[in-house]
Amino acid sequence: MPRYLDPKTDIVFKKIFGQNPKILKSFLNAVLPLPAGGLIVSLEYLANEQVPVIPAFKFTVVDVKCTDEQGRVFIVEMQIQWAASFKQRLLFNASRAYVHQLEKGENYELLKPVYGLGLINTSFDPDEDHWYHHYKIVNVEKPQVEIKDLQLIFIELPKFRAKNYREKKLQVLWLRFISELNEKVNQVPPELLEVAEIKQALELAEEAAYTPVELDDYNRYWDAVSVEKTLISDALRRGEAMGRAEGVHASHQLLARKWLSKGMTLEEIAKLLDLSLDEVAALLN
């Protein structure tokens, strides 16, 4: 029986969605709130300087320029995140993708809409049944009046349940693939194999598709996630007494020392913590 790796990890996520336009097109058509007659027919990957060169559990980014059935062009900034600041990060990166479309002096009419899609592996809405969140810019006095150039979609993966299989069948199947597949799964539900793109994604998630170096990165990713969760929890408990800022500082300091002991460079640690090299050096000293 094949052994599968979790597609929510950086290296697996990018192997599946960051290199295969056909797979990504199927996934985006399933999960984005696209208008009638607005399905994606083609897409191209955009260079993204924000993508780290090592597995980074705080942000995994795939940027694509899409063309729909009516020839309209838009950009999708897709991320999978574990960090508490996911809303601000997705808004920042989606806004950055919107702004970076223009060269100096170009006409604003050349700007294309941007969708920010965040697959969140944590829960943040107290409503247990509310796992799909779609944000738009609207006129407060006239909510029906919208600025559609920037939209954010957050999907809380831990809360997703395939309650209505018939409605939005493709969306249900893709989200089952993302949320249910992991090392404990050795037999895939047959309905997932009915979709050619999901079947291909399953093949790319098999452990046999990865080199020893990639598998080592995969394990480092989970180690980092485990350390992050534990230390943040401890820091927040301490933060109740010493203040949130000091608690976060202590968490960053413990993480930096942990990763340094595992052989990470200062540059890698700085990317993971969103800090400058000087700030990381100060933490370690």
Side-chain angles (χ1 to χ4, degrees):
M1 300 296 291
R3 180 175 182 264
Y4 294 97
L5 303 184
D6 195 320
K8 294 185 290 297
T9 56
D10 181 275
I11 191 168
V12 183
F13 186 84
K14 287 177 181 172
K15 184 181 283 285
I16 294 172
F17 297 108
Q19 305 173 22
N20 301 279
K22 187 176 180 181
I23 293 178
L24 182 56
K25 182 178 72 174
S26 173
F27 178 75
L28 293 179
N29 278 332
V31 301
L32 286 178
L34 300 172
L39 291 180
I40 298 168
V41 295
S42 65
L43 59 81
E44 61 177 294
Y45 291 95
L46 302 175
N48 194 316
E49 296 178 354
Q50 300 174 67
V51 179
V53 296
I54 58 174
F57 55 87
K58 282 194 172 182
F59 52 96
T60 302
V61 181
V62 176
D63 280 357
V64 287
K65 180 184 290 186
C66 305
T67 303
D68 71 9
E69 296 168 300
Q70 300 182 32
R72 295 172 299 199
V73 177
F74 57 92
I75 292 172
V76 177
E77 159 105 7
M78 183 169 70
Q79 303 180 27
I80 186 161
Q81 299 188 27
W82 302 68
S85 60
F86 59 85
K87 291 182 182 178
Q88 293 86 348
R89 182 180 294 281
L90 185 60
L91 177 60
F92 176 83
N93 285 347
S95 301
R96 187 172 179 175
Y98 185 74
V99 171
H100 281 188
Q101 295 179 66
L102 293 186
E103 299 292 338
K104 187 174 181 180
E106 287 187 320
N107 195 310
Y108 290 114
E109 293 179 356
L110 297 175
L111 288 167
K112 306 301 182 185
V114 172
Y115 286 90
L117 172 61
L119 304 173
I120 313 302
N121 204 42
T122 186
S123 296
F124 63 91
D125 190 317
D127 185 343
E128 294 183 1
D129 294 325
H130 196 194
W131 54 269
Y132 191 99
H133 310 273
H134 183 196
Y135 293 85
K136 299 180 181 178
I137 301 175
V138 300
N139 184 324
V140 174
E141 297 177 349
K142 300 178 181 179
Q144 69 277 13
V145 180
E146 304 172 356
I147 297 176
K148 298 181 179 181
D149 278 19
L150 184 62
Q151 301 185 44
L152 302 181
I153 299 93
F154 298 98
I155 298 177
E156 293 179 83
L157 293 174
K159 287 164 57 176
F160 167 74
R161 299 290 183 274
K163 292 182 178 179
N164 193 336
Y165 184 78
R166 295 181 180 178
E167 183 181 352
K168 297 184 178 181
K169 177 180 177 180
L170 188 58
Q171 181 185 91
V172 168
L173 292 177
W174 266 120
L175 291 179
R176 285 189 63 188
F177 168 81
I178 290 287
S179 60
E180 296 177 10
L181 195 70
N182 54 53
E183 299 89 343
K184 298 178 181 179
V185 175
N186 52 30
Q187 187 167 355
V188 176
E191 55 269 25
L192 296 186
L193 299 173
E194 296 174 3
V195 180
E197 292 81 6
I198 298 180
K199 183 178 180 180
Q200 185 181 356
L202 284 164
E203 293 171 355
L204 292 171
E206 288 187 22
E207 183 180 24
Y210 295 80
T211 67
V213 173
E214 289 175 324
L215 291 174
D216 183 59
D217 284 342
Y218 179 85
N219 291 326
R220 285 176 60 195
Y221 180 100
W222 283 119
D223 181 64
V225 170
S226 178
V227 171
E228 167 87 351
K229 288 183 175 180
T230 301
L231 293 179
I232 284 181
S233 177
D234 291 345
L236 288 177
R237 283 196 293 269
R238 290 195 302 272
E240 293 177 359
M242 70 175 62
R244 181 177 296 272
E246 292 183 11
V248 171
H249 178 85
S251 174
H252 282 174
Q253 189 174 57
L254 290 169
L255 283 169
R257 290 174 177 171
K258 173 75 172 181
W259 290 329
L260 187 67
S261 70
K262 287 183 171 291
M264 288 190 178
T265 66
L266 293 183
E267 289 79 8
E268 291 172 338
I269 295 171
K271 286 182 179 179
L272 287 170
L273 295 178
D274 286 341
L275 298 176
S276 68
L277 288 175
D278 288 342
E279 289 172 324
V280 171
L283 284 174
L284 294 172
N285 289 331

